[in-house]
Amino acid sequence: MSPQPQDAVGAPLSRVDGRLKVTGQAAYAADHGTAHGIDGIVHAVVVTSSVGRGRITAIDASAAEAQSGVLKVLSHRNAPTLPYRPNPGSLNLPGERLHVFQDDEVRFHGQPVAAVIATTLEAAQHAAGLVRVDYDAEQPVTDLVGAPANEPPAAYARGDAEAAFNAAPVRLEMTYRLSRTHHNAMELHATVARWSGARVTVWEKTQWVQSTRDELAAVFGIPATDVRVISPFVGGAFGNAARCWPHTVIAALAAREVGRPVKLVLTRRQLYSGAGFRPAYEYKVRLGSDREGRLAAMTHDLRAETSRYERFSERGVLSPGQMLYTTPNVSQAYRTVPLDVNTPTPMRGPGYSTAAFPIESALDELAHELGIDPVQLRLRNEPESDQASGLPFSTRRLRECLNTGAREFGWNRRDPKPGRTRDGDWLLGTGVATAVYDTLRAPAQARARLNADGTALVESATSDMGPGTYTSMTQIAADALGLPVRQVTFRLGDTIMPPAPVHGGSLTMASIGSTVQDGCDKLRLQAIQLAVDDEKSPLHGAAPEDVVVRDGRLHLKDDSGRGETYRQLLTRNNRTHLEADGAYTPARPQASMYAYGAVFAEVAVDRRLGLVRVRRMLAVYDAGRIISPKLADSQAIGGMVGGISAALLEHTLTDPRDGRIANANLADYLVPVNADVPQLKAIYLDGRDEVADPIGVKGLGEVVLVGVAPAIANAVFHATGRRVRELPITIDALL
């Protein structure tokens, strides 16, 4: 196929949906109501358990049911039995997902135990406060330390790590801890459900409309074709909207029980138990090297929390220890620890960001031990191929990331001795860490339609939780069709559209972008073929490969005067539109495919108060082709802010007496504000990954978080000489 002139891809375009969002016209899940054709909507409010483990002995809903406007109070006493068929394809985990209102067992604090449905939100909220629940409570176990782990562990080994470690001239042993953290996106989880006979339509906050559809079909025992899920906008998610959670089932059940559309919005507090979280970890590292810092052995021993009723294992957490640095001898053991908590779920940079803190901190500790520059130590341990898979790298430009970052950051001005650089009462330090995240791809489909008026519509059932899917897909479609961006509309977020994978794992750009490219290429070629076959067309008889399209006009690439517009072609042929289906199925990997980055941070630590302030950060990324520089910067800056949060602020506190999350609000669960966000800059190495996918991207949304927290932690050590091995780094650790 002939190459197309390109104007949109690579241009720093503003978001095509930006005006809708800033003017309040974008409809999120909880916004749907009468204005969207959902008449007679009523409200549901969830009543949650006040104990962390035990059984419900009584529920008194009489006072709630007596309130004006209350339609029903649902609980295990009166809820119908739901089939809950197996559904492993929707991110459900080993074990058995929570069955809402199906028994009297309480598995964690905050578990849904009842729901009040009323004609107004205020009536439902008031009545929910009147529901009285009695329990036979037991002492929950919520602390990772000391609790028994599942056996056998997930494991990996190559070489003889134990022997190599014992024989190494330099040996270090460290234990790192990462606190539990929650996603806390701006948009609350919300569902609107409406039944029409045996069919249900759900407006939902979700990163995967098909997953929600399939789960509701499995729970209610109905065909998936009888479930429609709509999610045009998502106000942030970071992973916790990838799966269908119990509140969605409650909303659909309540709507069926009262025979009216039901809206259910979780409160901010309920999010902490109503959806998943990044689990707490204890991560033990042993590393052995020669005196030049070349790694000989690393061992990784991980313990992470999971719920008792499901087993969550974080994907990718073992991968960096297997392939990031040249290490001939590696052993890994990853154990999950069942606790009386709700089930964890992926959170931005899942697995890789977890592993980055211990691994990159350990490399920094080795560099200090040996008196080697931390950048040089990493360069010294760069592998030539993937030691875990044996495959060559599709592209790996981590050396360039490190060298470019060091130059642009001014790393050479660094005093290597910790604690020697000051600015008044502030101790200054700089740190570096690398970032890695695998290039995921999945089968996807799209539908492209070229209208007789010269506009185009492209659809796929993907999502947009913030990275700018609407915009990036419009850019790809516009260039493939040879149309201005303003004449292309991309739609998403509806199960009646062509199927798409989960919107997560940085796979959307590669997967949906490739299928949009395919569908629009087919559509453009279809139009070209129509023109060269049309005796009345100026292009009649031309070779299709000699025809290009620009600004909606088909013409010979060597004679721009010979051609016509899409509008002229379709109108003359009495065609209201042309349509093509795009598809993408990734090939079996023949290379090791990852995005990489090098993150540099400067911090200031108050020498008397222990306050840590990040002053500036720079990150350099090898992420393949950058479709939209403005969106990329938005992702990178957001990832850095999230990494600052993980390093210095975020952790979930649980009361061990009853399993209650003590800081389940945005007043006590700290996230960055403007004053916490310093000078941030991202650089993207120019290039593309021709092996990964047809459009040459690697994915950016996950890798931008991965190395941030360890870079900050390493900078704190350089500032103070004190090594903190637990996230977040709080004031008490530095006093």
Side-chain angles (χ1 to χ4, degrees):
M1 77 182 56
S2 60
Q4 281 297 108
Q6 293 187 347
D7 287 329
V9 171
L13 301 184
S14 295
R15 294 173 183 252
V16 299
D17 55 332
R19 181 172 293 274
L20 291 176
K21 290 181 175 179
V22 300
T23 59
Q25 297 177 72
Y28 295 85
D31 294 330
H32 287 87
T34 304
H36 303 86
I38 312 172
D39 296 325
I41 199 163
V42 297
H43 299 265
V45 170
V46 176
V47 179
T48 58
S49 67
S50 57
V51 302
R53 182 175 180 176
R55 293 197 174 273
I56 301 168
T57 57
I59 295 181
D60 182 0
S62 57
E65 292 167 335
Q67 298 302 303
S68 175
V70 172
L71 303 176
K72 190 161 190 172
V73 178
L74 275 172
S75 69
H76 75 280
R77 299 181 312 154
N78 59 355
T81 299
L82 298 175
Y84 272 96
R85 295 187 310 215
N87 182 31
S90 293
L91 299 184
N92 289 337
L93 301 169
E96 185 55 55
R97 74 272 209 200
L98 188 72
H99 293 197
V100 293
F101 306 156
Q102 300 297 292
D103 58 42
D104 62 357
E105 185 177 355
V106 175
R107 297 160 180 83
F108 57 89
H109 193 286
Q111 175 183 318
V113 294
V116 177
I117 305 99
T119 54
T120 67
L121 176 60
E122 293 78 9
Q125 290 172 330
H126 176 63
L130 299 176
V131 176
R132 295 292 173 256
V133 185
D134 294 330
Y135 304 94
D136 180 7
E138 302 175 37
Q139 176 65 45
V141 178
T142 59
D143 192 347
L144 182 64
V145 177
N150 283 312
E151 298 291 346
Y156 169 86
R158 67 169 178 260
D160 189 337
E162 196 66 31
F165 174 78
N166 290 330
V170 181
R171 297 186 297 274
L172 299 178
E173 301 185 39
M174 295 80 64
T175 298
Y176 302 91
R177 291 183 172 85
L178 297 90
S179 299
R180 182 199 296 191
T181 54
H182 277 79
H183 303 66
N184 278 303
M186 288 178 65
E187 183 193 12
L188 299 172
H189 278 259
T191 306
V192 176
R194 180 182 66 190
W195 289 82
S196 178
R199 301 171 67 90
V200 63
T201 300
V202 170
W203 291 263
E204 171 81 337
K205 173 178 176 170
T206 177
Q207 295 168 236
W208 196 5
V209 290
Q210 287 145 299
S211 170
T212 300
R213 177 199 64 190
D214 294 347
E215 177 66 357
L216 289 174
V219 169
F220 287 94
I222 59 179
T225 51
D226 286 348
V227 183
R228 182 181 178 188
V229 179
I230 302 171
S231 183
F233 294 98
V234 176
F238 310 113
N240 77 342
R243 180 179 179 184
C244 183
W245 297 105
H247 70 272
T248 307
V249 175
I250 294 172
L253 176 61
R256 194 175 71 173
E257 288 296 297
V258 301
R260 294 176 66 174
V262 166
K263 178 183 293 187
L264 191 160
V265 183
L266 294 183
T267 66
R268 179 66 61 178
R269 176 172 291 280
Q270 288 173 341
L271 286 181
Y272 287 76
S273 56
F277 53 89
R278 194 195 300 275
Y281 275 87
E282 180 184 79
Y283 195 127
K284 297 181 179 179
V285 176
R286 296 188 302 163
L287 61 81
S289 78
D290 63 20
R291 299 202 177 276
E292 286 71 46
R294 293 180 179 85
L295 294 173
M298 283 192 79
T299 70
H300 311 253
D301 188 358
L302 294 72
R303 285 166 46 91
E305 64 181 332
T306 186
S307 65
R308 293 192 189 277
Y309 55 95
E310 289 180 303
R311 183 169 179 173
F312 174 78
S313 297
E314 195 168 27
R315 192 198 72 82
V317 72
L318 299 181
S319 296
Q322 298 170 12
M323 52 68 62
L324 187 52
Y325 297 111
T326 299
T327 316
N329 303 282
V330 176
S331 71
Q332 296 176 312
Y334 172 24
R335 297 170 176 84
T336 54
V337 180
L339 300 174
D340 297 310
V341 299
N342 58 308
T343 302
T345 202
M347 187 171 173
R348 193 173 192 179
Y352 292 85
S353 61
T354 297
F357 174 59
I359 292 174
E360 292 300 301
S361 296
L363 263 288
D364 204 68
E365 296 204 38
L366 179 63
H368 177 70
E369 177 76 15
L370 296 173
I372 298 174
D373 179 83
V375 171
Q376 292 303 315
L377 181 70
R378 287 165 172 81
L379 293 172
R380 199 166 292 179
N381 287 282
E382 264 289 283
E384 296 301 319
S385 62
D386 188 326
Q387 291 181 291
S389 66
L391 295 172
F393 297 114
S394 58
T395 69
R396 179 177 168 122
R397 300 167 68 187
L398 185 52
R399 286 181 181 273
E400 191 174 348
C401 290
L402 286 162
N403 288 326
T404 300
R407 182 183 67 249
E408 296 296 320
F409 190 74
W411 186 259
N412 63 332
R413 299 192 296 269
R414 178 183 198 256
D415 185 333
K417 296 291 185 182
R420 296 212 312 200
T421 304
R422 294 194 175 191
D423 178 8
D425 285 335
W426 295 92
L427 304 172
L428 303 186
T430 53
V432 64
T434 61
V436 61
Y437 198 88
D438 54 347
T439 297
L440 299 178
R441 306 145 314 144
Q445 297 178 29
R447 182 183 305 113
R449 175 184 173 120
L450 178 65
N451 299 311
D453 64 359
T455 62
L457 172 66
V458 185
E459 296 180 319
S460 181
T462 185
S463 182
D464 188 350
M465 62 173 159
T469 311
Y470 279 108
T471 305
S472 58
M473 299 307 153
T474 301
Q475 290 176 272
I476 289 176
D479 280 353
L481 292 169
L483 286 171
V485 166
R486 67 180 179 275
Q487 291 178 221
V488 178
T489 299
F490 182 74
R491 292 180 182 165
L492 53 73
D494 194 326
T495 49
I496 65 173
M497 296 174 180
V502 62
H503 178 56
S506 287
L507 59 75
T508 298
M509 194 70 255
S511 307
I512 309 302
S514 294
T515 193
V516 167
Q517 181 80 52
D518 180 64
C520 292
D521 281 344
K522 290 175 179 175
L523 189 55
R524 185 188 76 252
L525 294 176
Q526 189 183 142
I528 291 172
Q529 192 66 50
L530 180 64
V532 300
D533 290 344
D534 182 359
E535 294 181 355
K536 296 181 180 180
S537 172
L539 295 168
H540 177 248
E545 61 270 21
D546 291 336
V547 179
V548 297
V549 187
R550 189 175 185 87
D551 291 329
R553 185 174 179 273
L554 303 86
H555 62 85
L556 292 179
K557 55 186 173 184
D558 295 328
D559 183 2
S560 60
R562 182 181 168 187
E564 64 178 329
T565 65
Y566 281 137
R567 181 195 292 264
Q568 292 167 327
L569 173 66
L570 269 64
T571 301
R572 188 178 60 252
N573 283 273
N574 296 316
R575 305 288 286 271
T576 60
H577 67 277
L578 300 177
E579 194 167 278
D581 292 331
Y584 170 64
T585 301
R588 183 182 179 87
Q590 300 299 314
S592 172
M593 297 179 294
Y594 291 85
Y596 297 94
V599 185
F600 295 80
E602 179 184 306
V603 304
V605 182
D606 189 294
R607 65 184 182 87
R608 288 178 294 186
L609 302 179
L611 295 172
V612 180
R613 294 290 182 262
V614 177
R615 289 199 167 182
R616 62 187 178 106
M617 294 189 69
L618 170 73
V620 183
Y621 296 108
D622 165 24
R625 185 185 183 201
I626 301 300
I627 300 297
S628 176
K630 184 177 278 192
L631 293 177
D633 270 351
S634 177
Q635 284 294 284
I637 291 170
M640 291 184 210
V641 172
I644 292 170
S645 193
L648 303 176
L649 299 170
E650 287 190 63
H651 65 303
T652 305
L653 299 174
T654 304
D655 188 328
R657 297 171 297 178
D658 57 8
R660 178 181 63 91
I661 295 174
N663 60 335
N665 56 72
L666 287 182
D668 300 312
Y669 185 99
L670 302 181
V671 296
V673 296
N674 286 344
D676 297 310
V677 179
Q679 174 188 342
L680 305 176
K681 182 181 179 181
I683 297 172
Y684 316 97
L685 300 183
D686 188 33
R688 54 190 293 159
D689 192 330
E690 301 287 356
V691 176
D693 47 73
I695 61 174
V697 303
K698 287 189 173 192
L700 185 68
E702 309 284 6
V703 73
V704 291
L705 178 80
V706 171
V708 179
I712 292 171
N714 292 339
V716 168
F717 169 75
H718 182 239
T720 64
R722 182 174 297 187
R723 177 68 62 180
V724 182
R725 298 192 178 112
E726 184 169 346
L727 292 185
I729 299 171
T730 50
I731 291 173
D732 56 295
L734 296 172
L735 291 178

